[in-house]
Amino acid sequence: MSPKVLPGQSFPLGATVYAVGVNFCLYSKHATGIDLLLFEVDDLTQPSQVITLDPIRNRTFYYWHLFVPGLRSGQIYAYRVHGPFDPAHGHRFDATKVLLDPYARAIVGDDTYDRSHAIGPGDNCATAIKGVVVDTRNYDWGGDRPLHIPYSSSVIYEMHVGGFTRHPSSGLPDEQRGTYAGLIEKIPYLQELGITAVELLPIHQFDAQDAMPGHENYWGYSTLGFFAPHRAYSSRKDPLGPVNEFRDMVKALHQAGIEVILDVVFNHSAEGNHEGPTLSFKGIDNETYYMLEDNPIYYSNYSGCGNTLSPNHAVVGRMILDSLRYWVSEMHVDGFRFDLASVMSRDMAGNPLEDPPILWNIESEPILAGTKIIAEAWDAAGLYQVGSFIGDRFAEWNGPYRDHVRQFLKGDANCVPDLAARLLGSPDIYQKPNREPNRSIHFVTCHDGFTLNDLVSYNQKYNEANGEHNRDGTDANYSWNCGVEGLSAPPEVEQLRQRQIKNFLTLLFMAQGTPMLLMGDEVRRTQRGNNNAYCQDNDLSWFNWDAVEKEQPLLRFTRGLIHFIQNLKVFQLEHLLRVTNTWHYEPHIVWHGTALNQPDWSEQSRTLAFTLRYPDAKEQIHVMLNAYWEALTFDLPELGPRDGLWPVSDQRWHRIVDTAVPPPRDFCYPEEAPVFESDRYPVGARSTVVLMSQGQV
């Protein structure tokens, strides 16, 4: 060993910059030897220096470490790890493979990376990805602080960083399209829409080559490094560029009043099954990082993606927590959505745990205390925990909301009781006392499935372009093409589709809970019937900015709904509404059918109405839902007690929404909303009406 190299220390893990050099630390219980490889920026094909760690001098317990004086931020590095290749006992060491540090803060080599070279035999140094030493202290945050927007005031926009601006119609320079910098340029659009948080599909460095031959992994659910921002989303090509450009984006979004939530994938990695590549974890300590079958040649697959990380192993759990802490403390993100979060409740043998350590640690971690933590409370092996996910802090994606709203507006029978529960914040699912209704994240569409436009245009999925013979993607879409399959349709069908889209949007924003809107639904983005576009990095998935002008009426309708609810306290409650059929002075809801106080809960019912009242705020909203194929007349409730709470002269309903009315009168802001004097309202076939009392104008 060179005398310039010092033993180093066993913490922190990863590469840590000090004034006089860099400390490197890597965990491996079963390795017999480790080489640190150092590379020059202009030559990643071969290391400029190889430093072999001494098992005595450079190892403490199972932590391998050394300190290299003179190194600085920007240094490129990787490892070779020696040990037994013995899959029958869970070991897959292969010193011919160059391995990525699990704690790498930045990653390079993606432009020369070749996944196949990490699968086959032989040295893959020239085509391997490498880590970059990052000193996160050298960034001017300009006083940036977390926004801490409560769920009750949040409107989430699920979006793809690359797809948001990659289309030529974005009007951005080529080098900015599909990047963090490109997103910054479009922040005014998000502000005008009324978005308070963007939920970004995975931005951890992922393997774009993890897809069927001839395709790319577009969504990013194939993580290579849990600490590094995805390099392909950066307009800057220097080693540290993605780190700083990501922080520029976060800072700009915060200045615009918009939070940043990351979709994180701690359930599996890009290394796939026993036939997959050796990129990092497999070659560092396979038995530690992954759940293995009884025959440890094979990987447990609770993720549906070939392998499953072992999040309740102490070392893996620490890595997850370190990653979350890093993105909050050093990158200033505001929260996380945990993909297939139920995987994280399984023990190392795959059995569900009543008290999974990693989830309790996430919930109780003080650095994360002010963040949003959102669970996709199921996994690919059938574990379904919606309503029973552990802890007091986790919000949850409400899958039943999506399904029941779709079924009701499609016109299915036996839907009204379930719909009412979803609109109320799903108290039948979330039964913990005093649980905030806005911890239910409700959505009609998300990245995984049809877009809103396709939901009303296709009865079947059309995923042939994915190369899996249309076998991929769910068949449980609850979609309806309104009479004609596909995008081209006669005017009367097109008119119905527009109305159905507005019905979905109205129910999304009129429900108790936190609404989440899928990127482009506000301008009818289509994937041409593909409900699993994970490998479609093309205009099938991208946001087409020409639609912003083409779909101005729908965009105006969506903006109007969002701004409408953001100004009403009845949609920002931290407790469930009281359900009653009499007047109360606390916030409450009254259910109706076409007749007042007579909701039709029968199997064949396709109508529901409800009145939302918040007396202290002088708010009264009346919503009428008609999923029947003929127009129906609904009775209107009397506007509050005549006891001085509202002046008698203000006892009038104003029409905010009628999805059967042509734009621009389909949505009216309160100050311009027409008065409706009658005590009955004719609600058109398959349409939704929202009225508001005069007292709020």
Side-chain angles (χ1 to χ4, degrees), residues 376-605:
E376 184 184 35
W378 55 83
D379 69 18
L383 186 57
Y384 192 79
Q385 298 176 312
V386 173
S388 61
F389 205 74
I390 70 101
D392 300 317
R393 285 200 55 223
F394 279 95
E396 296 178 25
W397 269 25
N398 190 336
Y401 176 93
R402 169 199 61 207
D403 295 342
H404 293 146
V405 168
R406 289 184 179 194
Q407 290 170 304
F408 174 77
L409 289 178
K410 181 171 175 276
D412 288 350
N414 200 28
C415 290
V416 173
D418 285 333
L419 176 70
R422 302 305 146 252
L423 295 173
L424 192 55
S426 298
D428 57 329
I429 295 175
Y430 303 110
Q431 298 181 3
K432 292 182 180 179
N434 299 318
R435 179 184 170 91
E436 182 186 354
N438 291 288
R439 295 298 175 97
S440 167
I441 310 298
H442 54 251
F443 59 101
V444 175
T445 57
C446 65
H447 69 277
D448 190 1
F450 280 146
T451 66
L452 187 51
N453 182 77
D454 291 358
L455 189 65
V456 301
S457 303
Y458 295 92
N459 285 349
Q460 307 294 330
K461 65 183 182 184
Y462 295 89
N463 296 355
E464 288 82 3
N466 298 348
E468 300 181 43
H469 306 289
N470 208 36
R471 291 192 296 263
D472 61 311
T474 183
D475 293 314
N477 295 297
Y478 307 115
S479 61
W480 178 48
N481 64 18
C482 297
V484 175
E485 188 77 351
L487 298 180
S488 298
E492 63 273 14
V493 173
E494 174 61 21
Q495 185 179 46
L496 177 56
R497 288 177 178 175
Q498 286 274 11
R499 189 185 313 164
Q500 285 286 82
I501 288 172
K502 290 185 285 186
N503 289 336
F504 278 117
L505 290 169
T506 304
L507 284 183
L508 178 65
F509 294 111
M510 288 296 117
Q512 298 293 304
T514 298
M516 184 181 78
L517 184 69
L518 174 63
M519 178 185 87
D521 274 355
E522 71 278 10
V523 291
R524 296 189 65 174
R525 185 175 69 87
T526 178
Q527 293 174 177
R528 299 192 285 277
N530 192 319
N531 76 348
N532 188 36
Y534 79 99
C535 58
Q536 299 296 326
D537 188 7
N538 50 56
D539 63 2
L540 186 78
S541 299
W542 299 341
F543 190 111
N544 187 331
W545 287 88
D546 291 337
V548 173
E549 182 61 34
K550 179 183 176 183
E551 299 294 340
Q552 269 295 318
L554 182 61
L555 181 58
R556 177 190 175 276
F557 182 89
T558 310
R559 287 172 179 159
L561 277 174
I562 293 174
H563 289 287
F564 177 65
I565 66 163
Q566 287 175 333
N567 289 308
L568 293 174
K569 292 184 178 179
V570 76
F571 292 110
Q572 300 177 19
L573 301 176
E574 296 184 359
H575 301 283
L576 282 172
L577 285 165
R578 174 192 285 267
V579 180
T580 181
N581 58 4
T582 59
W583 181 267
H584 282 271
Y585 284 92
E586 61 188 83
H588 61 279
I589 185 171
V590 184
W591 297 114
H592 312 283
T594 55
L596 292 177
N597 299 303
Q598 297 179 41
D600 185 354
W601 307 118
S602 70
E603 182 175 347
Q604 295 305 315
S605 173

Side-chain angles (χ1 to χ4, degrees), residues 78-104:
Y79 291 101
R80 293 190 192 272
V81 180
H82 303 262
F85 183 80
D86 186 6
H89 290 90
H91 303 310
R92 291 182 176 271
F93 293 100
D94 182 354
T96 70
K97 296 294 182 281
V98 170
L99 303 177
L100 179 70
D101 179 3
Y103 277 72

Side-chain angles (χ1 to χ4, degrees), residues 78-138:
Y79 291 101
R80 293 190 192 272
V81 180
H82 303 262
F85 183 80
D86 186 6
H89 290 90
H91 303 310
R92 291 182 176 271
F93 293 100
D94 182 354
T96 70
K97 296 294 182 281
V98 170
L99 303 177
L100 179 70
D101 179 3
Y103 277 72
R105 264 58 171 176
I107 293 173
V108 295
D110 54 312
D111 52 345
T112 57
Y113 166 69
D114 192 320
R115 182 178 175 88
S116 66
H117 290 182
I119 297 174
D123 193 312
N124 73 326
C125 186
T127 59
I129 54 174
K130 288 92 176 175
V132 182
V133 175
V134 176
D135 185 351
T136 58
R137 296 170 297 181
N138 299 324

Side-chain angles (χ1 to χ4, degrees), residues 199-216:
E199 184 174 302
L200 306 179
L201 265 67
I203 58 84
H204 288 167
Q205 184 75 35
F206 62 86
D207 188 352
Q209 297 178 25
D210 185 12
M212 295 293 289
H215 297 77
E216 291 187 10

Side-chain angles (χ1 to χ4, degrees), residues 275 567 665 678:
E275 297 178 334
N567 289 308
R665 307 302 288 171
S678 174

Side-chain angles (χ1 to χ4, degrees), residues 147-434:
L147 298 180
H148 294 312
I149 299 172
Y151 285 102
S152 59
S153 301
S154 295
V155 176
I156 300 172
Y157 192 75
E158 193 201 27
M159 64 180 298
H160 187 284
V161 169
F164 192 50
T165 62
R166 193 163 289 163
H167 198 279
S169 62
S170 66
L172 299 178
D174 288 350
E175 65 274 12
Q176 283 192 351
R177 284 168 41 198
T179 67
Y180 308 119
L183 194 154
I184 292 173
E185 296 300 314
K186 297 298 185 180
I187 287 176
Y189 174 84
L190 298 171
Q191 282 183 294
E192 189 174 357
L193 187 56
I195 299 304
T196 69
V198 290
E199 184 174 302
L200 306 179
L201 265 67
I203 58 84
H204 288 167
Q205 184 75 35
F206 62 86
D207 188 352
Q209 297 178 25
D210 185 12
M212 295 293 289
H215 297 77
E216 291 187 10
N217 191 309
Y218 167 69
W219 284 350
Y221 293 92
S222 184
T223 308
L224 289 167
F226 294 110
F227 294 80
H230 191 57
R231 175 164 293 275
Y233 294 159
S234 176
S235 64
R236 294 178 52 178
K237 302 309 176 187
D238 58 291
L240 300 177
V243 178
N244 290 327
E245 188 170 321
F246 179 87
R247 292 191 282 191
D248 290 344
M249 179 194 71
V250 172
K251 184 165 64 171
L253 284 163
H254 283 176
Q255 288 171 350
I258 299 173
E259 293 184 317
V260 179
I261 300 170
L262 302 187
D263 194 335
V264 290
V265 189
F266 293 118
N267 56 78
H268 74 282
S269 82
E271 292 185 304
N273 62 18
H274 62 286
E275 297 178 334
T278 298
L279 304 167
S280 181
F281 307 115
K282 275 186 183 179
I284 292 172
D285 205 333
N286 186 64
E287 186 185 55
T288 292
Y289 282 100
Y290 291 112
M291 296 184 194
L292 304 178
E293 295 286 83
D294 291 338
N295 180 350
I297 291 175
Y298 303 106
Y299 294 84
S300 300
N301 188 17
Y302 301 105
S303 67
C305 297
N307 66 49
T308 308
L309 288 171
S310 189
N312 286 297
H313 187 290
V315 170
V316 183
R318 183 181 300 114
M319 179 187 70
I320 292 171
L321 283 168
D322 286 345
S323 171
L324 298 174
R325 295 182 190 113
Y326 173 76
W327 287 98
V328 171
S329 61
E330 301 295 339
M331 307 297 269
H332 286 208
V333 305
D334 303 279
F336 306 92
R337 178 263 188 188
F338 294 87
D339 179 64
L340 297 182
S342 290
V343 167
M344 300 172 74
S345 71
R346 295 182 183 270
D347 65 17
M348 287 177 280
N351 302 306
L353 291 166
E354 184 174 346
D355 291 305
I358 182 59
L359 293 177
W360 282 115
N361 286 336
I362 291 171
E363 163 136 332
S364 61
E365 168 57 48
I367 291 176
L368 307 180
T371 64
K372 290 181 170 67
I373 52 174
I374 302 170
E376 184 184 35
W378 55 83
D379 69 18
L383 186 57
Y384 192 79
Q385 298 176 312
V386 173
S388 61
F389 205 74
I390 70 101
D392 300 317
R393 285 200 55 223
F394 279 95
E396 296 178 25
W397 269 25
N398 190 336
Y401 176 93
R402 169 199 61 207
D403 295 342
H404 293 146
V405 168
R406 289 184 179 194
Q407 290 170 304
F408 174 77
L409 289 178
K410 181 171 175 276
D412 288 350
N414 200 28
C415 290
V416 173
D418 285 333
L419 176 70
R422 302 305 146 252
L423 295 173
L424 192 55
S426 298
D428 57 329
I429 295 175
Y430 303 110
Q431 298 181 3
K432 292 182 180 179
N434 299 318

